[in-house]
Amino acid sequence: MFTTCAIFSIGLLLAVTTVLAKTSRQNECVRTFCADNQAKIGEFCYEHCPAGYARFGFDCHSVCPQGMRNDGLFCRRSEYGRGAGYPWKFGDALNDNAMFERCRADNPQLGCEKHGLIVYPKCRDGYSAFGCCICRPERPDCGSLGLGTQVDLSCSKRIIIGKPQKGTCLYFLHDVA
């Protein structure tokens, strides 16, 4: 009798649990959709990013302007190297003339200049020499570019934090069953 009673009790418990589970899930949304001005990420809707911004995960980050490199949370104007330069070589006269001639032959558009004992191509317009071998651009005006705080040649991106919203329910579980 004990076995029959226990089996009956377990069966009744399972039946009640199944009914409760079905009842509580009948109002569960099966599929959601977002408004036209929103993007669906997972089960949530986020406003589309405004012009000049691009989605990065759940947030909108400002897009780097042309001429600036995307460094994640920053946009940076890039330096460039101007090479090892043109040193004096055996066979050159004991002056700088041959160094300048070799440099000018390889860089007729830029011209050349001496730094220390070595001749280098001049930096392109908008750049200035930084030490012997690096050409750095002018520092950007981050505010006028629509970017945030300046750190050396970098500007922080502006970020619009995503605000998740529930989507509109397309149909409920009881509509499917």
Side-chain angles (χ1 to χ4, degrees):
M1 168 135 175
F2 175 72
T3 309
T4 308
C5 188
I7 292 172
F8 177 75
S9 296
I10 292 171
L12 182 62
L13 181 62
L14 288 173
V16 169
T17 305
T18 305
V19 169
L20 287 175
K22 276 189 173 181
T23 306
S24 64
R25 290 190 68 208
Q26 280 186 346
N27 291 327
E28 184 177 321
C29 185
V30 175
R31 177 131 190 234
T32 59
F33 68 95
C34 301
D36 290 339
N37 66 333
Q38 295 177 321
K40 185 173 182 184
I41 302 174
E43 288 300 314
F44 292 100
C45 301
Y46 294 83
E47 296 292 322
H48 285 300
C49 296
Y53 286 78
R55 178 138 329 266
F56 187 79
F58 302 117
D59 306 327
C60 296
H61 292 211
S62 50
V63 175
C64 292
Q66 189 169 358
M68 294 187 88
R69 180 180 72 214
N70 184 348
D71 282 353
L73 295 175
F74 292 88
C75 299
R76 182 174 178 87
R77 286 214 174 129
S78 298
E79 306 94 337
Y80 71 91
R82 52 185 184 162
Y86 298 84
W88 181 88
K89 291 183 176 182
F90 284 106
D92 288 351
L94 295 176
N95 58 35
D96 300 339
N97 294 344
M99 295 187 293
F100 274 100
E101 286 174 17
R102 286 192 299 276
C103 181
R104 286 187 195 116
D106 290 344
N107 302 283
Q109 69 286 3
L110 293 174
C112 299
E113 62 188 4
K114 188 174 179 185
H115 184 87
L117 297 175
I118 302 176
V119 174
Y120 297 92
K122 287 184 178 178
C123 294
R124 298 188 297 244
D125 287 340
Y127 289 79
S128 58
F130 182 78
C132 69
C133 316
I134 305 286
C135 292
R136 287 174 54 96
E138 297 169 1
R139 291 179 65 170
D141 180 0
C142 299
S144 69
L145 294 171
L147 298 169
T149 308
Q150 183 169 359
V151 179
D152 189 33
L153 297 175
S154 297
C155 300
S156 62
K157 291 182 178 181
R158 293 185 187 225
I159 299 172
I160 300 171
I161 303 297
K163 296 179 182 121
Q165 301 170 350
K166 284 186 173 181
T168 304
C169 190
L170 190 59
Y171 52 88
F172 292 93
L173 190 61
H174 64 77
D175 296 334
V176 178

